[in-house]
Amino acid sequence: VYKRQRHDNRSLIALVVLFYYFWLMTIISFVQTAMSDPGMLPRNIHPGQWQTQNEFSSFITPQDYYNIVTLPAHTSKKNHPEMNNSIDIKYCKTCKIWRPPRSYHCPTCGVCIQTHDHHCIWVNNCVGQRNYRYFITFLMGAISTSSLLIITGSIHLHRVHGVTSRAPVSILLIIYGGLVIWYPLILLLYHIAMTATQQTTREYLKTMSDNSVKNPVMHPRIKRVPTNIFDRGNYVTNMFSLMGQVRGPN
């Protein structure tokens, strides 16, 4: 019995160590997501032609810049007649630059972001090419921490034979972990489905709006887009290529 108790105590100590490891991982990844550069593109400080009228100067955007430029693009998907192998490049009138593919202008941050996924109000920062992996790590760490909180509380409650008066803190922590785990879990599953189809949140919402879906957030299923030139043809390859993409220059 003594050896069994020692083994149980070691197991609990290991769970506690794992809990603090995932807790630190959650805090660090949250700070990295909130404070790191999401992939901001530098503005054009030499926009070109200026016009002075009534002592006020303003930049004249050439009319050609309002057009959408279609360029040829390489795709790994073969034998798809619906694939036009082209991509549209747009000009940002605010940053005065031609945006690279999958880059969008965030009106909240006021800059163009590479591989822009969405602007997260919880971290007060955009989620883009340079901090997307930190965002995914934050979700995974939050889920792992909440799971270990529920497990350790349940084990302690079992050791006191279910007497709630002897373990009130464990009851509160189990309830707290059960409530907290749902939001990051649903968000992580959503991003797994998005990355598996090689889509960002912005691209998905645009596709749903183009298909006249009234509420794209509550759409029952995330489907692959046949005309998506970034789709590599495999769910696992898509997921790891988007989650582990090269961060690029700061």
Side-chain angles (χ1 to χ4, degrees), residues 96-153:
K96 305 294 188 300
I97 61 172
W98 289 95
R99 292 197 298 255
R102 312 191 89 173
S103 300
Y104 295 92
H105 185 85
C106 176
T108 305
C109 296
V111 291
C112 291
I113 307 295
Q114 286 183 304
T115 318
H116 185 259
D117 189 85
H118 69 286
H119 182 87
C120 183
I121 60 175
W122 304 109
V123 299
N124 194 30
N125 195 10
C126 281
V127 177
Q129 181 171 323
R130 301 197 75 253
N131 64 348
Y132 190 73
R133 62 182 66 181
Y134 298 147
F135 180 71
I136 297 297
T137 305
F138 163 67
L139 296 178
M140 295 176 62
I143 294 170
S144 302
T145 304
S146 302
S147 301
L148 287 173
L149 192 65
I150 297 173
I151 292 173
T152 52

Side-chain angles (χ1 to χ4, degrees), residues 190-246:
Y190 164 78
H191 278 279
I192 289 176
M194 294 294 297
T195 54
T197 57
Q198 194 60 236
Q199 297 182 83
T200 63
T201 300
R202 194 178 188 104
E203 292 171 348
Y204 169 72
L205 296 178
K206 184 179 183 301
T207 303
M208 292 296 100
S209 61
D210 292 341
N211 294 332
S212 300
V213 178
K214 295 182 179 179
N215 193 350
V217 179
M218 300 301 295
H219 197 259
R221 183 182 176 185
I222 300 174
K223 300 180 181 180
R224 301 175 77 170
V225 181
T227 57
N228 184 7
I229 64 172
F230 302 103
D231 191 351
R232 304 194 176 202
N234 184 274
Y235 289 111
V236 178
T237 305
N238 284 335
M239 183 174 62
F240 283 101
S241 65
L242 197 55
M243 288 186 177
Q245 60 186 321
V246 179

Side-chain angles (χ1 to χ4, degrees), residues 71-87 102 197-198 224-234 238:
L71 299 177
H74 172 72
T75 177
S76 58
K77 296 174 66 176
K78 299 179 180 179
N79 301 324
H80 284 269
E82 72 277 4
M83 188 70 65
N84 53 13
N85 295 336
S86 63
I87 189 170
R102 312 191 89 173
T197 57
Q198 194 60 236
R224 301 175 77 170
V225 181
T227 57
N228 184 7
I229 64 172
F230 302 103
D231 191 351
R232 304 194 176 202
N234 184 274
N238 284 335

Side-chain angles (χ1 to χ4, degrees), residues 61-70 88-91 98:
T61 303
Q63 189 64 32
D64 295 343
Y65 283 18
Y66 291 97
N67 300 328
I68 299 177
V69 178
T70 302
D88 295 333
I89 304 297
K90 296 182 179 180
Y91 181 79
W98 289 95

